[in-house]
Amino acid sequence: MNKKMYYWLRFFQLSGLLTVSIIIFFQLNELRLISNEVRYQQTEKFSYSLTNLAAAEASRYLAQKKEKDLQLLINDLSNDPMVRDATIYDHLGKVLYQSKEPLLLPVLLKINESSGDDIKGIIPYIAELYKEDEKIGYIRISLKQDHILQIIFDYQELTLKTLISLLLLSFLAGSIIMALFFKRLEAWYYRLSDIIPNLIASNKR
């Protein structure tokens, strides 16, 4: 193969590889930024969904005065690893049912100066409870946002690692295929470089 042609081919190959690598790097970085934004959006949606679902159940039980079911609902919420505590209030703000060792509102709202690491990553969500059109109370669920974010983060990191592994395997497979085709193209080039001069010489005769 002509050395000039060989060097040009190598130059285009390396340039293409560098360009593709830069594009992949920026796309992965963009994907990571989008994942971080989606993570917080998913956390908010999950938190509101959980609070609204619990509020619907609490409204029904409170309207029917099912005290055991209300306490069972609070206990079930408290046993969830993503929930710090839960409390049900009446329409005047009086505590009716609450989980064990609940966070006090002054601490949760950081009114108390002693508020510290106990509320780090804890986000309260409040929903109103209704009996038809009459407000009959409130439910407050304090969620461990850090815990929820970590679960989503672990899942996204696993997905990203799988994607990177697939990209590396695809690159390796592509390199092997290109090496095989390059050898064949090089062999064809040498054959043509031998045949073409002979054909030209035979035509001159």
Side-chain angles (χ1 to χ4, degrees), residues 1-2 186-198:
M1 181 181 287
N2 186 284
E186 189 177 29
W188 289 341
Y189 175 82
Y190 281 120
R191 287 180 186 175
L192 288 175
S193 63
D194 292 335
I195 294 172
I196 290 175
N198 293 331

Side-chain angles (χ1 to χ4, degrees), residues 36-173:
N36 290 334
E37 184 178 348
V38 170
R39 193 185 312 158
Y40 283 95
Q41 292 176 356
Q42 289 176 337
T43 303
E44 287 295 317
K45 288 181 180 179
F46 169 79
S47 302
Y48 281 116
S49 297
L50 178 63
T51 305
N52 291 333
L53 181 62
E57 291 292 310
S59 296
R60 183 162 58 89
Y61 294 148
L62 191 59
Q64 298 173 1
K65 297 182 179 180
K66 293 184 176 181
E67 297 181 2
K68 290 184 179 180
D69 291 330
L70 282 167
Q71 190 60 57
L72 183 62
L73 174 64
I74 292 297
N75 293 339
D76 288 342
L77 287 171
S78 301
N79 291 331
D80 192 309
M82 290 177 285
V83 177
R84 169 60 178 80
D85 62 29
T87 305
I88 294 177
Y89 307 89
D90 66 7
H91 65 289
L92 297 176
K94 179 183 177 182
V95 175
L96 298 178
Y97 306 93
Q98 64 183 12
S99 55
K100 295 179 180 179
E101 299 180 0
L103 287 172
L104 299 177
L105 278 177
V107 175
L108 191 59
L109 299 177
K110 299 181 180 180
I111 297 174
N112 194 335
E113 292 182 358
S114 62
S115 302
D117 294 336
D118 291 341
I119 61 170
K120 187 177 181 180
I122 304 297
I123 307 295
Y125 289 86
I126 300 174
E128 297 175 338
L129 308 180
Y130 285 91
K131 180 183 179 181
E132 296 179 353
D133 294 332
E134 180 186 0
K135 186 186 296 183
I136 57 176
Y138 305 87
I139 185 170
R140 173 177 62 84
I141 301 176
S142 302
L143 293 173
K144 300 176 183 176
Q145 190 182 51
D146 290 347
H147 187 81
I148 302 172
L149 287 171
Q150 188 61 44
I151 292 174
I152 299 174
F153 175 79
D154 291 342
Y155 174 77
Q156 289 179 341
E157 282 295 303
L158 179 61
T159 304
L160 186 60
K161 287 179 181 178
T162 303
L163 178 61
I164 293 174
S165 299
L166 289 174
L167 286 173
L168 291 175
L169 289 173
S170 299
F171 174 77
L172 180 61

